[in-house]
Amino acid sequence: MKMRKVLLSCLMVLAVALVCIFALSTESQATTVIKNGSCGANAMWALDNKGTLTITGSGAMDGYSWNGWDYSPWHSLESLIKKVVIKKGITSIGREAFYSCGMVTEVVIPEGVTQIGWSAFKHCENLAKITIPSTLESVDPWAFDGCFNLKDVYITDLHAWFNIDFETYSGVISCPMLYAENLYLDGVK
């Protein structure tokens, strides 16, 4: 009888321990915002604990300067940013917005964005995949300069792609295909 009580007590302790471990592991998997703020008159940003920087709101994002006097608001968090998701409603990506975000591997730009600013993704050395909307009209110089690991560019409208004004400055064209290996139309290479 005493052995049965000891065994039952051990099983209860084990069960409680397993519940605690499961609760902790589930909690660590939850996505939480670690920092946020504004990045335009009607645009906001939020960086979560999984490394996704999300831009929401409407209108244009602010432009920035990497020369030390007007960094992007997430500049001090660049090493944590792995993915950039711009939500529908944003119409343009500001100058040097993601300049030197070297850990970013993927950027998703939604329909509705018409312009990508000067050096917006410059020196995003680990950028491997980008989605370009059919609404994009112009890409300022140096937008993808230094994106040496860019592999895949996804588009949905070939006609719109050929109508994008990929600007050139000092002989460098702003087209992401300067670095990318693959162009996908509706997911097909």
Side-chain angles (χ1 to χ4, degrees), residues 118-156:
W118 186 289
S119 299
F121 299 100
K122 186 173 184 175
H123 296 303
C124 290
E125 295 95 6
N126 287 305
L127 180 60
K129 176 182 176 183
I130 189 164
T131 301
I132 303 285
S134 64
T135 54
L136 190 62
E137 296 171 1
S138 67
V139 180
D140 288 350
W142 303 95
F144 298 98
D145 186 49
C147 295
F148 300 114
N149 289 305
L150 187 58
K151 301 274 187 254
D152 303 320
V153 175
Y154 290 82
I155 64 172
T156 58

PDB file of all heavy atoms in Angstrom, residues 118-156:
ATOM      1  N   TRP A 118      15.609  55.346 -52.749  1.00  0.00           N
ATOM      2  CA  TRP A 118      17.053  55.294 -52.941  1.00  0.00           C
ATOM      3  C   TRP A 118      17.700  54.441 -51.848  1.00  0.00           C
ATOM      4  O   TRP A 118      17.477  54.660 -50.663  1.00  0.00           O
ATOM      5  CB  TRP A 118      17.594  56.719 -52.876  1.00  0.00           C
ATOM      6  CG  TRP A 118      19.032  56.898 -53.186  1.00  0.00           C
ATOM      7  CD1 TRP A 118      20.073  56.504 -52.412  1.00  0.00           C
ATOM      8  CD2 TRP A 118      19.586  57.524 -54.321  1.00  0.00           C
ATOM      9  NE1 TRP A 118      21.260  56.839 -52.998  1.00  0.00           N
ATOM     10  CE2 TRP A 118      20.994  57.484 -54.170  1.00  0.00           C
ATOM     11  CE3 TRP A 118      19.062  58.121 -55.450  1.00  0.00           C
ATOM     12  CZ2 TRP A 118      21.862  58.019 -55.118  1.00  0.00           C
ATOM     13  CZ3 TRP A 118      19.927  58.653 -56.382  1.00  0.00           C
ATOM     14  CH2 TRP A 118      21.308  58.595 -56.216  1.00  0.00           C
ATOM     15  N   SER A 119      18.472  53.459 -52.233  1.00  0.00           N
ATOM     16  CA  SER A 119      19.236  52.600 -51.308  1.00  0.00           C
ATOM     17  C   SER A 119      18.366  51.914 -50.254  1.00  0.00           C
ATOM     18  O   SER A 119      18.851  51.577 -49.174  1.00  0.00           O
ATOM     19  CB  SER A 119      20.341  53.403 -50.604  1.00  0.00           C
ATOM     20  OG  SER A 119      21.244  53.931 -51.548  1.00  0.00           O
ATOM     21  N   ALA A 120      17.094  51.688 -50.553  1.00  0.00           N
ATOM     22  CA  ALA A 120      16.157  51.130 -49.567  1.00  0.00           C
ATOM     23  C   ALA A 120      16.636  49.799 -48.982  1.00  0.00           C
ATOM     24  O   ALA A 120      16.485  49.561 -47.781  1.00  0.00           O
ATOM     25  CB  ALA A 120      14.774  50.962 -50.183  1.00  0.00           C
ATOM     26  N   PHE A 121      17.208  48.935 -49.809  1.00  0.00           N
ATOM     27  CA  PHE A 121      17.670  47.620 -49.337  1.00  0.00           C
ATOM     28  C   PHE A 121      19.183  47.454 -49.526  1.00  0.00           C
ATOM     29  O   PHE A 121      19.694  46.335 -49.487  1.00  0.00           O
ATOM     30  CB  PHE A 121      16.914  46.504 -50.068  1.00  0.00           C
ATOM     31  CG  PHE A 121      15.436  46.551 -49.829  1.00  0.00           C
ATOM     32  CD1 PHE A 121      14.585  47.099 -50.771  1.00  0.00           C
ATOM     33  CD2 PHE A 121      14.904  46.077 -48.638  1.00  0.00           C
ATOM     34  CE1 PHE A 121      13.222  47.166 -50.545  1.00  0.00           C
ATOM     35  CE2 PHE A 121      13.537  46.144 -48.397  1.00  0.00           C
ATOM     36  CZ  PHE A 121      12.701  46.686 -49.352  1.00  0.00           C
ATOM     37  N   LYS A 122      19.869  48.549 -49.700  1.00  0.00           N
ATOM     38  CA  LYS A 122      21.311  48.504 -49.939  1.00  0.00           C
ATOM     39  C   LYS A 122      22.020  47.800 -48.780  1.00  0.00           C
ATOM     40  O   LYS A 122      21.740  48.033 -47.617  1.00  0.00           O
ATOM     41  CB  LYS A 122      21.856  49.920 -50.096  1.00  0.00           C
ATOM     42  CG  LYS A 122      23.321  49.973 -50.485  1.00  0.00           C
ATOM     43  CD  LYS A 122      23.745  51.394 -50.790  1.00  0.00           C
ATOM     44  CE  LYS A 122      25.176  51.419 -51.278  1.00  0.00           C
ATOM     45  NZ  LYS A 122      25.568  52.773 -51.697  1.00  0.00           N
ATOM     46  N   HIS A 123      22.935  46.927 -49.135  1.00  0.00           N
ATOM     47  CA  HIS A 123      23.750  46.160 -48.176  1.00  0.00           C
ATOM     48  C   HIS A 123      22.929  45.211 -47.304  1.00  0.00           C
ATOM     49  O   HIS A 123      23.333  44.910 -46.185  1.00  0.00           O
ATOM     50  CB  HIS A 123      24.625  47.069 -47.316  1.00  0.00           C
ATOM     51  CG  HIS A 123      25.646  47.820 -48.102  1.00  0.00           C
ATOM     52  ND1 HIS A 123      26.582  47.196 -48.889  1.00  0.00           N
ATOM     53  CD2 HIS A 123      25.851  49.152 -48.258  1.00  0.00           C
ATOM     54  CE1 HIS A 123      27.323  48.100 -49.485  1.00  0.00           C
ATOM     55  NE2 HIS A 123      26.910  49.297 -49.129  1.00  0.00           N
ATOM     56  N   CYS A 124      21.829  44.729 -47.816  1.00  0.00           N
ATOM     57  CA  CYS A 124      21.103  43.626 -47.152  1.00  0.00           C
ATOM     58  C   CYS A 124      21.737  42.353 -47.701  1.00  0.00           C
ATOM     59  O   CYS A 124      21.161  41.665 -48.547  1.00  0.00           O
ATOM     60  CB  CYS A 124      19.602  43.697 -47.450  1.00  0.00           C
ATOM     61  SG  CYS A 124      18.775  45.073 -46.647  1.00  0.00           S
ATOM     62  N   GLU A 125      22.932  42.060 -47.241  1.00  0.00           N
ATOM     63  CA  GLU A 125      23.770  41.011 -47.817  1.00  0.00           C
ATOM     64  C   GLU A 125      23.155  39.624 -47.804  1.00  0.00           C
ATOM     65  O   GLU A 125      23.495  38.790 -48.630  1.00  0.00           O
ATOM     66  CB  GLU A 125      25.127  40.937 -47.100  1.00  0.00           C
ATOM     67  CG  GLU A 125      25.992  42.143 -47.270  1.00  0.00           C
ATOM     68  CD  GLU A 125      25.845  43.128 -46.111  1.00  0.00           C
ATOM     69  OE1 GLU A 125      25.150  42.804 -45.129  1.00  0.00           O
ATOM     70  OE2 GLU A 125      26.422  44.221 -46.207  1.00  0.00           O
ATOM     71  N   ASN A 126      22.271  39.348 -46.868  1.00  0.00           N
ATOM     72  CA  ASN A 126      21.668  38.017 -46.780  1.00  0.00           C
ATOM     73  C   ASN A 126      20.283  37.927 -47.402  1.00  0.00           C
ATOM     74  O   ASN A 126      19.643  36.883 -47.332  1.00  0.00           O
ATOM     75  CB  ASN A 126      21.620  37.559 -45.320  1.00  0.00           C
ATOM     76  CG  ASN A 126      22.997  37.202 -44.825  1.00  0.00           C
ATOM     77  OD1 ASN A 126      23.679  36.387 -45.423  1.00  0.00           O
ATOM     78  ND2 ASN A 126      23.435  37.835 -43.757  1.00  0.00           N
ATOM     79  N   LEU A 127      19.838  39.006 -48.019  1.00  0.00           N
ATOM     80  CA  LEU A 127      18.532  38.984 -48.681  1.00  0.00           C
ATOM     81  C   LEU A 127      18.562  37.936 -49.789  1.00  0.00           C
ATOM     82  O   LEU A 127      19.380  38.005 -50.695  1.00  0.00           O
ATOM     83  CB  LEU A 127      18.184  40.359 -49.248  1.00  0.00           C
ATOM     84  CG  LEU A 127      16.846  40.474 -49.972  1.00  0.00           C
ATOM     85  CD1 LEU A 127      15.688  40.131 -49.047  1.00  0.00           C
ATOM     86  CD2 LEU A 127      16.670  41.880 -50.543  1.00  0.00           C
ATOM     87  N   ALA A 128      17.677  36.949 -49.693  1.00  0.00           N
ATOM     88  CA  ALA A 128      17.656  35.851 -50.665  1.00  0.00           C
ATOM     89  C   ALA A 128      16.375  35.836 -51.488  1.00  0.00           C
ATOM     90  O   ALA A 128      16.362  35.298 -52.591  1.00  0.00           O
ATOM     91  CB  ALA A 128      17.810  34.517 -49.941  1.00  0.00           C
ATOM     92  N   LYS A 129      15.297  36.434 -50.966  1.00  0.00           N
ATOM     93  CA  LYS A 129      13.994  36.323 -51.623  1.00  0.00           C
ATOM     94  C   LYS A 129      13.226  37.627 -51.445  1.00  0.00           C
ATOM     95  O   LYS A 129      13.141  38.161 -50.345  1.00  0.00           O
ATOM     96  CB  LYS A 129      13.225  35.166 -50.969  1.00  0.00           C
ATOM     97  CG  LYS A 129      11.835  34.959 -51.459  1.00  0.00           C
ATOM     98  CD  LYS A 129      11.165  33.808 -50.700  1.00  0.00           C
ATOM     99  CE  LYS A 129       9.729  33.646 -51.096  1.00  0.00           C
ATOM    100  NZ  LYS A 129       9.061  32.593 -50.333  1.00  0.00           N
ATOM    101  N   ILE A 130      12.663  38.116 -52.567  1.00  0.00           N
ATOM    102  CA  ILE A 130      11.842  39.329 -52.511  1.00  0.00           C
ATOM    103  C   ILE A 130      10.622  39.170 -53.402  1.00  0.00           C
ATOM    104  O   ILE A 130      10.710  38.580 -54.483  1.00  0.00           O
ATOM    105  CB  ILE A 130      12.658  40.589 -52.880  1.00  0.00           C
ATOM    106  CG1 ILE A 130      11.835  41.860 -52.608  1.00  0.00           C
ATOM    107  CG2 ILE A 130      13.139  40.536 -54.318  1.00  0.00           C
ATOM    108  CD1 ILE A 130      12.663  43.115 -52.566  1.00  0.00           C
ATOM    109  N   THR A 131       9.501  39.667 -52.932  1.00  0.00           N
ATOM    110  CA  THR A 131       8.257  39.662 -53.699  1.00  0.00           C
ATOM    111  C   THR A 131       7.994  41.092 -54.156  1.00  0.00           C
ATOM    112  O   THR A 131       7.939  42.007 -53.338  1.00  0.00           O
ATOM    113  CB  THR A 131       7.082  39.165 -52.828  1.00  0.00           C
ATOM    114  OG1 THR A 131       7.391  37.852 -52.364  1.00  0.00           O
ATOM    115  CG2 THR A 131       5.792  39.137 -53.625  1.00  0.00           C
ATOM    116  N   ILE A 132       7.844  41.275 -55.466  1.00  0.00           N
ATOM    117  CA  ILE A 132       7.636  42.594 -56.067  1.00  0.00           C
ATOM    118  C   ILE A 132       6.191  42.675 -56.573  1.00  0.00           C
ATOM    119  O   ILE A 132       5.758  41.816 -57.341  1.00  0.00           O
ATOM    120  CB  ILE A 132       8.610  42.821 -57.261  1.00  0.00           C
ATOM    121  CG1 ILE A 132      10.066  42.662 -56.821  1.00  0.00           C
ATOM    122  CG2 ILE A 132       8.334  44.144 -57.939  1.00  0.00           C
ATOM    123  CD1 ILE A 132      10.634  43.788 -56.031  1.00  0.00           C
ATOM    124  N   PRO A 133       5.432  43.716 -56.190  1.00  0.00           N
ATOM    125  CA  PRO A 133       4.039  43.827 -56.625  1.00  0.00           C
ATOM    126  C   PRO A 133       3.904  44.350 -58.055  1.00  0.00           C
ATOM    127  O   PRO A 133       4.807  45.029 -58.555  1.00  0.00           O
ATOM    128  CB  PRO A 133       3.447  44.835 -55.633  1.00  0.00           C
ATOM    129  CG  PRO A 133       4.599  45.735 -55.312  1.00  0.00           C
ATOM    130  CD  PRO A 133       5.809  44.822 -55.292  1.00  0.00           C
ATOM    131  N   SER A 134       2.783  44.068 -58.670  1.00  0.00           N
ATOM    132  CA  SER A 134       2.534  44.551 -60.035  1.00  0.00           C
ATOM    133  C   SER A 134       2.270  46.056 -60.057  1.00  0.00           C
ATOM    134  O   SER A 134       2.303  46.670 -61.114  1.00  0.00           O
ATOM    135  CB  SER A 134       1.347  43.804 -60.652  1.00  0.00           C
ATOM    136  OG  SER A 134       0.161  44.085 -59.944  1.00  0.00           O
ATOM    137  N   THR A 135       2.033  46.661 -58.898  1.00  0.00           N
ATOM    138  CA  THR A 135       1.762  48.099 -58.820  1.00  0.00           C
ATOM    139  C   THR A 135       3.035  48.940 -58.771  1.00  0.00           C
ATOM    140  O   THR A 135       2.968  50.170 -58.855  1.00  0.00           O
ATOM    141  CB  THR A 135       0.915  48.416 -57.567  1.00  0.00           C
ATOM    142  OG1 THR A 135       1.582  47.873 -56.414  1.00  0.00           O
ATOM    143  CG2 THR A 135      -0.477  47.815 -57.685  1.00  0.00           C
ATOM    144  N   LEU A 136       4.189  48.289 -58.636  1.00  0.00           N
ATOM    145  CA  LEU A 136       5.447  49.024 -58.532  1.00  0.00           C
ATOM    146  C   LEU A 136       5.713  49.770 -59.835  1.00  0.00           C
ATOM    147  O   LEU A 136       5.671  49.187 -60.918  1.00  0.00           O
ATOM    148  CB  LEU A 136       6.605  48.067 -58.219  1.00  0.00           C
ATOM    149  CG  LEU A 136       7.927  48.726 -57.846  1.00  0.00           C
ATOM    150  CD1 LEU A 136       7.798  49.549 -56.566  1.00  0.00           C
ATOM    151  CD2 LEU A 136       9.015  47.678 -57.689  1.00  0.00           C
ATOM    152  N   GLU A 137       5.993  51.076 -59.716  1.00  0.00           N
ATOM    153  CA  GLU A 137       6.241  51.917 -60.886  1.00  0.00           C
ATOM    154  C   GLU A 137       7.701  52.336 -61.021  1.00  0.00           C
ATOM    155  O   GLU A 137       8.211  52.469 -62.123  1.00  0.00           O
ATOM    156  CB  GLU A 137       5.355  53.169 -60.831  1.00  0.00           C
ATOM    157  CG  GLU A 137       3.874  52.852 -60.902  1.00  0.00           C
ATOM    158  CD  GLU A 137       3.005  54.064 -60.634  1.00  0.00           C
ATOM    159  OE1 GLU A 137       3.545  55.174 -60.406  1.00  0.00           O
ATOM    160  OE2 GLU A 137       1.777  53.904 -60.636  1.00  0.00           O
ATOM    161  N   SER A 138       8.354  52.580 -59.877  1.00  0.00           N
ATOM    162  CA  SER A 138       9.743  53.028 -59.965  1.00  0.00           C
ATOM    163  C   SER A 138      10.579  52.515 -58.795  1.00  0.00           C
ATOM    164  O   SER A 138      10.076  52.324 -57.689  1.00  0.00           O
ATOM    165  CB  SER A 138       9.821  54.554 -60.015  1.00  0.00           C
ATOM    166  OG  SER A 138       9.397  55.116 -58.787  1.00  0.00           O
ATOM    167  N   VAL A 139      11.861  52.300 -59.111  1.00  0.00           N
ATOM    168  CA  VAL A 139      12.834  51.871 -58.115  1.00  0.00           C
ATOM    169  C   VAL A 139      14.016  52.834 -58.237  1.00  0.00           C
ATOM    170  O   VAL A 139      14.650  52.916 -59.282  1.00  0.00           O
ATOM    171  CB  VAL A 139      13.288  50.414 -58.344  1.00  0.00           C
ATOM    172  CG1 VAL A 139      14.305  50.010 -57.297  1.00  0.00           C
ATOM    173  CG2 VAL A 139      12.097  49.478 -58.337  1.00  0.00           C
ATOM    174  N   ASP A 140      14.259  53.575 -57.162  1.00  0.00           N
ATOM    175  CA  ASP A 140      15.325  54.572 -57.168  1.00  0.00           C
ATOM    176  C   ASP A 140      16.696  53.901 -57.198  1.00  0.00           C
ATOM    177  O   ASP A 140      16.831  52.722 -56.863  1.00  0.00           O
ATOM    178  CB  ASP A 140      15.219  55.465 -55.927  1.00  0.00           C
ATOM    179  CG  ASP A 140      14.029  56.423 -56.002  1.00  0.00           C
ATOM    180  OD1 ASP A 140      13.407  56.543 -57.071  1.00  0.00           O
ATOM    181  OD2 ASP A 140      13.729  57.052 -54.973  1.00  0.00           O
ATOM    182  N   PRO A 141      17.715  54.677 -57.571  1.00  0.00           N
ATOM    183  CA  PRO A 141      19.068  54.127 -57.660  1.00  0.00           C
ATOM    184  C   PRO A 141      19.538  53.449 -56.376  1.00  0.00           C
ATOM    185  O   PRO A 141      19.151  53.841 -55.277  1.00  0.00           O
ATOM    186  CB  PRO A 141      19.932  55.357 -57.961  1.00  0.00           C
ATOM    187  CG  PRO A 141      19.011  56.286 -58.664  1.00  0.00           C
ATOM    188  CD  PRO A 141      17.678  56.082 -57.986  1.00  0.00           C
ATOM    189  N   TRP A 142      20.382  52.464 -56.547  1.00  0.00           N
ATOM    190  CA  TRP A 142      21.070  51.739 -55.492  1.00  0.00           C
ATOM    191  C   TRP A 142      20.126  50.968 -54.564  1.00  0.00           C
ATOM    192  O   TRP A 142      20.541  50.506 -53.508  1.00  0.00           O
ATOM    193  CB  TRP A 142      21.938  52.681 -54.642  1.00  0.00           C
ATOM    194  CG  TRP A 142      22.949  53.448 -55.425  1.00  0.00           C
ATOM    195  CD1 TRP A 142      22.782  54.713 -55.922  1.00  0.00           C
ATOM    196  CD2 TRP A 142      24.235  53.026 -55.840  1.00  0.00           C
ATOM    197  NE1 TRP A 142      23.899  55.100 -56.598  1.00  0.00           N
ATOM    198  CE2 TRP A 142      24.821  54.090 -56.567  1.00  0.00           C
ATOM    199  CE3 TRP A 142      24.963  51.862 -55.656  1.00  0.00           C
ATOM    200  CZ2 TRP A 142      26.091  54.013 -57.108  1.00  0.00           C
ATOM    201  CZ3 TRP A 142      26.230  51.786 -56.194  1.00  0.00           C
ATOM    202  CH2 TRP A 142      26.783  52.849 -56.916  1.00  0.00           C
ATOM    203  N   ALA A 143      18.877  50.816 -54.928  1.00  0.00           N
ATOM    204  CA  ALA A 143      17.889  50.182 -54.044  1.00  0.00           C
ATOM    205  C   ALA A 143      18.311  48.787 -53.592  1.00  0.00           C
ATOM    206  O   ALA A 143      18.038  48.396 -52.462  1.00  0.00           O
ATOM    207  CB  ALA A 143      16.523  50.121 -54.717  1.00  0.00           C
ATOM    208  N   PHE A 144      18.958  48.036 -54.469  1.00  0.00           N
ATOM    209  CA  PHE A 144      19.357  46.664 -54.130  1.00  0.00           C
ATOM    210  C   PHE A 144      20.872  46.467 -54.175  1.00  0.00           C
ATOM    211  O   PHE A 144      21.350  45.339 -54.177  1.00  0.00           O
ATOM    212  CB  PHE A 144      18.662  45.670 -55.063  1.00  0.00           C
ATOM    213  CG  PHE A 144      17.168  45.699 -54.931  1.00  0.00           C
ATOM    214  CD1 PHE A 144      16.390  46.413 -55.821  1.00  0.00           C
ATOM    215  CD2 PHE A 144      16.543  45.039 -53.888  1.00  0.00           C
ATOM    216  CE1 PHE A 144      15.014  46.460 -55.685  1.00  0.00           C
ATOM    217  CE2 PHE A 144      15.170  45.081 -53.734  1.00  0.00           C
ATOM    218  CZ  PHE A 144      14.398  45.796 -54.645  1.00  0.00           C
ATOM    219  N   ASP A 145      21.618  47.556 -54.186  1.00  0.00           N
ATOM    220  CA  ASP A 145      23.071  47.476 -54.259  1.00  0.00           C
ATOM    221  C   ASP A 145      23.617  46.692 -53.065  1.00  0.00           C
ATOM    222  O   ASP A 145      23.241  46.911 -51.915  1.00  0.00           O
ATOM    223  CB  ASP A 145      23.679  48.883 -54.265  1.00  0.00           C
ATOM    224  CG  ASP A 145      25.169  48.849 -54.475  1.00  0.00           C
ATOM    225  OD1 ASP A 145      25.617  48.160 -55.406  1.00  0.00           O
ATOM    226  OD2 ASP A 145      25.884  49.512 -53.697  1.00  0.00           O
ATOM    227  N   GLY A 146      24.482  45.747 -53.332  1.00  0.00           N
ATOM    228  CA  GLY A 146      25.097  44.957 -52.271  1.00  0.00           C
ATOM    229  C   GLY A 146      24.265  43.777 -51.794  1.00  0.00           C
ATOM    230  O   GLY A 146      24.619  43.132 -50.817  1.00  0.00           O
ATOM    231  N   CYS A 147      23.178  43.474 -52.486  1.00  0.00           N
ATOM    232  CA  CYS A 147      22.343  42.306 -52.128  1.00  0.00           C
ATOM    233  C   CYS A 147      22.908  41.080 -52.841  1.00  0.00           C
ATOM    234  O   CYS A 147      22.261  40.474 -53.704  1.00  0.00           O
ATOM    235  CB  CYS A 147      20.884  42.551 -52.500  1.00  0.00           C
ATOM    236  SG  CYS A 147      20.116  43.892 -51.579  1.00  0.00           S
ATOM    237  N   PHE A 148      24.114  40.712 -52.491  1.00  0.00           N
ATOM    238  CA  PHE A 148      24.873  39.691 -53.201  1.00  0.00           C
ATOM    239  C   PHE A 148      24.297  38.283 -53.108  1.00  0.00           C
ATOM    240  O   PHE A 148      24.622  37.437 -53.924  1.00  0.00           O
ATOM    241  CB  PHE A 148      26.327  39.680 -52.731  1.00  0.00           C
ATOM    242  CG  PHE A 148      27.025  40.988 -52.952  1.00  0.00           C
ATOM    243  CD1 PHE A 148      27.440  41.757 -51.873  1.00  0.00           C
ATOM    244  CD2 PHE A 148      27.247  41.465 -54.231  1.00  0.00           C
ATOM    245  CE1 PHE A 148      28.072  42.972 -52.071  1.00  0.00           C
ATOM    246  CE2 PHE A 148      27.872  42.677 -54.449  1.00  0.00           C
ATOM    247  CZ  PHE A 148      28.288  43.436 -53.358  1.00  0.00           C
ATOM    248  N   ASN A 149      23.477  38.009 -52.127  1.00  0.00           N
ATOM    249  CA  ASN A 149      22.908  36.668 -51.962  1.00  0.00           C
ATOM    250  C   ASN A 149      21.468  36.560 -52.442  1.00  0.00           C
ATOM    251  O   ASN A 149      20.804  35.563 -52.173  1.00  0.00           O
ATOM    252  CB  ASN A 149      23.016  36.228 -50.499  1.00  0.00           C
ATOM    253  CG  ASN A 149      24.453  35.937 -50.136  1.00  0.00           C
ATOM    254  OD1 ASN A 149      25.104  35.134 -50.788  1.00  0.00           O
ATOM    255  ND2 ASN A 149      24.953  36.606 -49.122  1.00  0.00           N
ATOM    256  N   LEU A 150      21.009  37.587 -53.149  1.00  0.00           N
ATOM    257  CA  LEU A 150      19.638  37.546 -53.664  1.00  0.00           C
ATOM    258  C   LEU A 150      19.515  36.422 -54.695  1.00  0.00           C
ATOM    259  O   LEU A 150      20.272  36.364 -55.656  1.00  0.00           O
ATOM    260  CB  LEU A 150      19.265  38.888 -54.290  1.00  0.00           C
ATOM    261  CG  LEU A 150      17.819  39.055 -54.733  1.00  0.00           C
ATOM    262  CD1 LEU A 150      16.855  38.843 -53.579  1.00  0.00           C
ATOM    263  CD2 LEU A 150      17.601  40.428 -55.341  1.00  0.00           C
ATOM    264  N   LYS A 151      18.611  35.507 -54.434  1.00  0.00           N
ATOM    265  CA  LYS A 151      18.428  34.355 -55.319  1.00  0.00           C
ATOM    266  C   LYS A 151      17.127  34.447 -56.114  1.00  0.00           C
ATOM    267  O   LYS A 151      17.106  34.195 -57.309  1.00  0.00           O
ATOM    268  CB  LYS A 151      18.395  33.048 -54.503  1.00  0.00           C
ATOM    269  CG  LYS A 151      19.646  32.795 -53.697  1.00  0.00           C
ATOM    270  CD  LYS A 151      20.684  32.100 -54.522  1.00  0.00           C
ATOM    271  CE  LYS A 151      21.849  31.699 -53.683  1.00  0.00           C
ATOM    272  NZ  LYS A 151      23.037  32.488 -53.853  1.00  0.00           N
ATOM    273  N   ASP A 152      16.031  34.795 -55.417  1.00  0.00           N
ATOM    274  CA  ASP A 152      14.708  34.678 -56.027  1.00  0.00           C
ATOM    275  C   ASP A 152      13.914  35.980 -55.967  1.00  0.00           C
ATOM    276  O   ASP A 152      13.770  36.582 -54.903  1.00  0.00           O
ATOM    277  CB  ASP A 152      13.901  33.586 -55.309  1.00  0.00           C
ATOM    278  CG  ASP A 152      14.608  32.238 -55.326  1.00  0.00           C
ATOM    279  OD1 ASP A 152      15.198  31.900 -56.368  1.00  0.00           O
ATOM    280  OD2 ASP A 152      14.564  31.538 -54.300  1.00  0.00           O
ATOM    281  N   VAL A 153      13.396  36.372 -57.129  1.00  0.00           N
ATOM    282  CA  VAL A 153      12.505  37.525 -57.233  1.00  0.00           C
ATOM    283  C   VAL A 153      11.160  36.998 -57.719  1.00  0.00           C
ATOM    284  O   VAL A 153      11.096  36.314 -58.747  1.00  0.00           O
ATOM    285  CB  VAL A 153      13.059  38.586 -58.209  1.00  0.00           C
ATOM    286  CG1 VAL A 153      12.065  39.726 -58.395  1.00  0.00           C
ATOM    287  CG2 VAL A 153      14.403  39.119 -57.716  1.00  0.00           C
ATOM    288  N   TYR A 154      10.108  37.301 -56.975  1.00  0.00           N
ATOM    289  CA  TYR A 154       8.759  36.836 -57.303  1.00  0.00           C
ATOM    290  C   TYR A 154       7.920  37.999 -57.805  1.00  0.00           C
ATOM    291  O   TYR A 154       7.844  39.035 -57.146  1.00  0.00           O
ATOM    292  CB  TYR A 154       8.094  36.212 -56.071  1.00  0.00           C
ATOM    293  CG  TYR A 154       8.718  34.898 -55.669  1.00  0.00           C
ATOM    294  CD1 TYR A 154       9.868  34.859 -54.905  1.00  0.00           C
ATOM    295  CD2 TYR A 154       8.158  33.697 -56.080  1.00  0.00           C
ATOM    296  CE1 TYR A 154      10.461  33.658 -54.548  1.00  0.00           C
ATOM    297  CE2 TYR A 154       8.742  32.484 -55.727  1.00  0.00           C
ATOM    298  CZ  TYR A 154       9.898  32.478 -54.964  1.00  0.00           C
ATOM    299  OH  TYR A 154      10.476  31.296 -54.618  1.00  0.00           O
ATOM    300  N   ILE A 155       7.301  37.820 -58.975  1.00  0.00           N
ATOM    301  CA  ILE A 155       6.400  38.822 -59.539  1.00  0.00           C
ATOM    302  C   ILE A 155       5.101  38.129 -59.955  1.00  0.00           C
ATOM    303  O   ILE A 155       5.052  36.898 -60.071  1.00  0.00           O
ATOM    304  CB  ILE A 155       7.033  39.549 -60.755  1.00  0.00           C
ATOM    305  CG1 ILE A 155       7.292  38.565 -61.913  1.00  0.00           C
ATOM    306  CG2 ILE A 155       8.312  40.266 -60.347  1.00  0.00           C
ATOM    307  CD1 ILE A 155       7.730  39.222 -63.206  1.00  0.00           C
ATOM    308  N   THR A 156       4.057  38.933 -60.184  1.00  0.00           N
ATOM    309  CA  THR A 156       2.770  38.362 -60.608  1.00  0.00           C
ATOM    310  C   THR A 156       2.316  38.855 -61.971  1.00  0.00           C
ATOM    311  O   THR A 156       1.357  38.335 -62.517  1.00  0.00           O
ATOM    312  CB  THR A 156       1.666  38.697 -59.582  1.00  0.00           C
ATOM    313  OG1 THR A 156       1.573  40.115 -59.460  1.00  0.00           O
ATOM    314  CG2 THR A 156       1.953  38.060 -58.237  1.00  0.00           C
TER     315      THR A 156
END
